[in-house]
Amino acid sequence: MNKPIVIGMIGLGTVGSGVMRLIARNAEQFLHKVGAPLVIKHVAVQSKEKERDLEVAPQVLTDNVEDILNDPEIDIVVEVMGGIEQAKQYVTKALQNKKHVITANKDLIALHGAELAQLANEYECDLFYEASVGGGIPIIRSLTHGLASDEINRVVGIVNGTTNYILTKMSQNHEDFGDVLQDAKAKGFAESDPSSDIDGLDAARKMAILSGLAFSTNIDLSDVHVKGIRHVSLEDIKYIQNLGYTLKLLGIGDRKHQKIEISVEPTLLPNSHPLASVHNEFNAVYLYGEAVGETMFYGPGAGSLPTATAVVSDVLEAAKNLRLGTTGRSYITPQYGKDLKSNAEMDRKYFFRILVKDKPGALAQITSIFAKHGISLERILQQPKSKSVAEVVLITYRSSYENYEEVFNEFEQLDVIDSILSSYRVEGEE
Ligand SMILES: NC(=O)c1ccc[n+]([C@@H]2O[C@H](COP(=O)([O-])OP(=O)(O)OC[C@H]3O[C@@H](n4cnc5c(N)ncnc54)[C@H](OP(=O)(O)O)[C@@H]3O)[C@@H](O)[C@H]2O)c1
């Protein structure tokens, strides 16, 4: 039998225990696929005394990460501890010690992925991170392998399960954001501090990773325009539903004439769009390729075993490379420098909900500002709210983001506008 592939894992929480279970459960299958057994020699944790719901031999568990990083027998390091700075130190040292690294850490990859990939290349090591986006959905390998022959110009994703769960429940049960958030925390779909999810940061990190791969360029987190769902009201949802749309926190990466834009924001999709029926904590990514057309990848975006499938598939790829002597050959320098679209080059369609003072000619003043900046209106609804104010709901046709900025500036000066209750991007009708 071939020499075992020896693994050291840092972290034994949700993902780490899934990895241990999956490697034990499918050991025979992996032996057949790799031609050598996979052996987990050490697992590093914070506390060896913590009660765990899976059995680990005492000699395997360690609270000293150096036992993994400095062990010459260990071929592959699996980083599933999370966090950024310490994880970066460990991954860096593992690569410098010529260990192949598998990570599920989107925060680490979104912030330091380019630097770590170059380090891996320098030390001729593999660095794989399939689980960092979409949990159990094999989206990264689909971009780098399955669709490598195509030119991908648009990536649209529901890549955060917590916010998708919240928006689904608000839409289905007509409950307020705050109530649904409490329920999501109780059911384990939201963390005790959910700000990175609900403010869009988690999705932005995943979109930075996906867009960088899809468009073969390095994307920084600051390149992603981000707006979360904290301010989405039940009233918004009801109007959106009445108009035949569904509200989703959508990540959109778009490239036109080599210029790109990336955003994460609550977005209206027509109910007929496939992403509109991705409910609860599920994730999905829609890709538009010049040759393939439209493809959609759907599945669990998190969870112990689903995420472990992605981590262990990466382990198998690194293990096969080790057997074949081809490790460290997968790094490709990005083909393009980064060229971001200007506001004038970004093209948008919007939904607005505006509280208007009940004065003669008020609606005409609002519509004339849109007309002045070249924005046509597709739908207008007006409904009295009280004796002194009415609510106006508008959907525009597409126009440049620069034009909308002018409209927003003029609205601020307009006396007949009481307040802009909400404004959301509208997509998916092309
Ligand atoms: N959970 C998911 O569904 C999911 C999905 C996709 C990606 N991810 C990513 O996967 C990673 C792990 O997530 P998780 O949910 O499994 O986290 P978790 O349940 O909080 O587990 C973290 C594990 O890391 C250990 N750990 C933390 N700091 C450590 C340190 N300094 N040295 C050694 N061990 C340390 C902890 O030890 P103790 O057990 O002793 O506390 C624990 O076992 C994160 O990057 C996350 O973003 C998670």
Side-chain angles (χ1 to χ4, degrees):
M1 188 189 295
N2 288 304
K3 184 175 145 307
I5 306 288
V6 184
I7 299 164
M9 185 159 73
I10 312 174
L12 187 60
T14 307
V15 181
S17 27
V19 169
M20 279 209 92
R21 286 196 172 95
L22 199 60
I23 287 182
R25 186 199 280 187
N26 294 342
E28 248 179 73
Q29 184 186 320
F30 297 157
L31 176 62
H32 178 74
K33 284 184 173 156
V34 176
L38 302 182
V39 173
I40 301 182
K41 184 174 179 188
H42 283 308
V43 179
V45 290
Q46 261 177 323
S47 159
K48 286 207 290 180
E49 279 67 51
K50 191 168 170 178
E51 254 190 56
R52 308 205 177 256
D53 60 1
L54 85 171
E55 256 180 58
V56 188
Q59 69 276 16
V60 169
L61 220 52
T62 174
D63 52 13
N64 184 1
V65 179
E66 301 299 325
D67 288 347
I68 291 174
L69 302 178
N70 293 326
D71 185 335
E73 253 188 17
I74 289 179
D75 302 299
I76 299 176
V77 172
V78 174
E79 184 276 301
V80 282
M81 61 175 256
I84 299 174
E85 286 315 317
Q86 205 159 28
K88 186 185 174 206
Q89 277 175 27
Y90 294 160
V91 167
T92 301
K93 187 159 182 194
L95 293 170
Q96 286 168 338
N97 287 351
K98 294 209 77 146
K99 301 188 185 310
H100 310 285
V101 173
I102 313 302
T103 176
N105 193 331
K106 68 243 161 194
D107 305 334
L108 177 69
I109 293 298
L111 292 175
H112 302 295
E115 184 190 335
L116 292 172
Q118 278 176 23
L119 193 70
N121 189 43
E122 190 185 323
Y123 285 89
E124 296 178 0
C125 289
D126 282 340
L127 170 69
F128 298 141
Y129 45 87
E130 179 64 69
S132 65
V133 183
I137 308 173
I139 185 63
I140 289 182
R141 205 154 274 116
S142 300
L143 279 169
T144 56
H145 290 62
L147 292 166
S149 54
D150 204 355
E151 185 185 343
I152 305 296
N153 280 323
R154 200 164 159 82
V155 181
V156 183
I158 295 173
V159 288
N160 180 272
T162 304
T163 46
N164 203 39
Y165 179 86
I166 293 172
L167 291 176
T168 302
K169 293 300 173 204
M170 285 178 79
S171 304
Q172 289 178 345
N173 305 345
H174 283 181
E175 289 174 58
D176 274 322
F177 175 81
D179 295 339
V180 180
L181 179 59
Q182 287 313 319
D183 166 62
K185 282 187 190 176
K187 292 191 170 126
F189 293 132
E191 291 177 21
S192 52
D193 176 6
S195 22
S196 138
D197 292 320
I198 61 181
D199 293 330
L201 183 62
D202 176 83
R205 288 177 166 162
K206 292 167 178 169
M207 287 309 297
I209 297 173
L210 282 186
S211 306
L213 287 171
F215 306 147
S216 194
T217 187
N218 283 328
I219 304 289
D220 296 315
L221 199 55
S222 55
D223 300 327
V224 187
H225 299 256
V226 190
K227 181 175 159 190
I229 66 160
R230 204 180 275 276
H231 301 294
V232 173
S233 72
L234 188 52
E235 282 292 291
D236 289 338
I237 298 264
K238 287 179 181 167
Y239 271 110
I240 287 166
Q241 287 182 317
N242 287 339
L243 290 164
Y245 291 91
T246 303
L247 190 71
K248 294 289 182 193
L249 183 70
L250 275 199
I252 302 179
D254 185 78
R255 171 167 67 175
K256 215 170 266 159
H257 310 304
Q258 288 315 329
K259 294 219 163 188
I260 58 176
E261 65 168 295
I262 304 146
S263 64
V264 168
E265 56 188 308
T267 303
L268 275 70
L269 281 173
N271 290 338
S272 56
H273 193 283
L275 284 173
S277 49
V278 175
H279 294 314
N280 296 316
E281 71 280 17
F282 280 88
N283 282 201
V285 179
Y286 211 65
L287 299 177
Y288 298 74
E290 292 304 308
V292 75
E294 301 172 7
T295 54
M296 184 159 120
F297 300 79
Y298 168 87
S304 184
L305 280 172
T307 308
T309 62
V311 173
V312 178
S313 294
D314 280 347
V315 170
L316 293 177
E317 182 161 341
K320 274 192 268 182
N321 288 344
L322 269 163
R323 288 262 298 109
L324 298 171
T326 55
T327 47
R329 309 273 173 88
S330 53
Y331 177 77
I332 303 169
T333 317
Q335 187 178 356
Y336 302 106
K338 189 171 53 188
D339 195 359
L340 298 172
K341 287 186 197 174
S342 68
N343 287 354
E345 290 164 322
M346 292 184 202
D347 175 59
R348 295 274 192 282
K349 172 171 179 163
Y350 269 105
F351 162 100
F352 286 92
R353 194 156 75 86
I354 305 171
L355 216 49
V356 179
K357 291 176 189 159
D358 206 0
K359 288 186 175 171
L363 186 59
Q365 284 189 54
I366 291 172
T367 55
S368 72
I369 289 178
F370 280 109
K372 181 175 155 194
H373 295 288
I375 301 173
S376 307
L377 299 175
E378 186 186 288
R379 291 203 221 180
I380 309 177
L381 306 173
Q382 188 174 8
Q383 200 169 308
K385 265 304 219 199
S386 69
K387 274 197 179 148
S388 58
V389 286
E391 203 166 279
V392 173
V393 172
L394 301 159
I395 294 187
T396 65
Y397 282 107
R398 294 191 90 83
S399 189
S400 79
Y401 187 64
E402 191 177 46
N403 289 343
Y404 287 103
E405 283 190 313
E406 309 263 3
V407 167
F408 275 117
N409 286 341
E410 288 210 32
F411 276 179
E412 272 177 27
Q413 319 297 327
L414 198 64
D415 180 51
V416 293
I417 290 186
D418 183 278
S419 56
I420 298 174
L421 297 170
S422 51
S423 61
Y424 300 116
R425 191 168 168 177
V426 181
E427 282 296 323
E429 288 170 316
E430 298 73 24

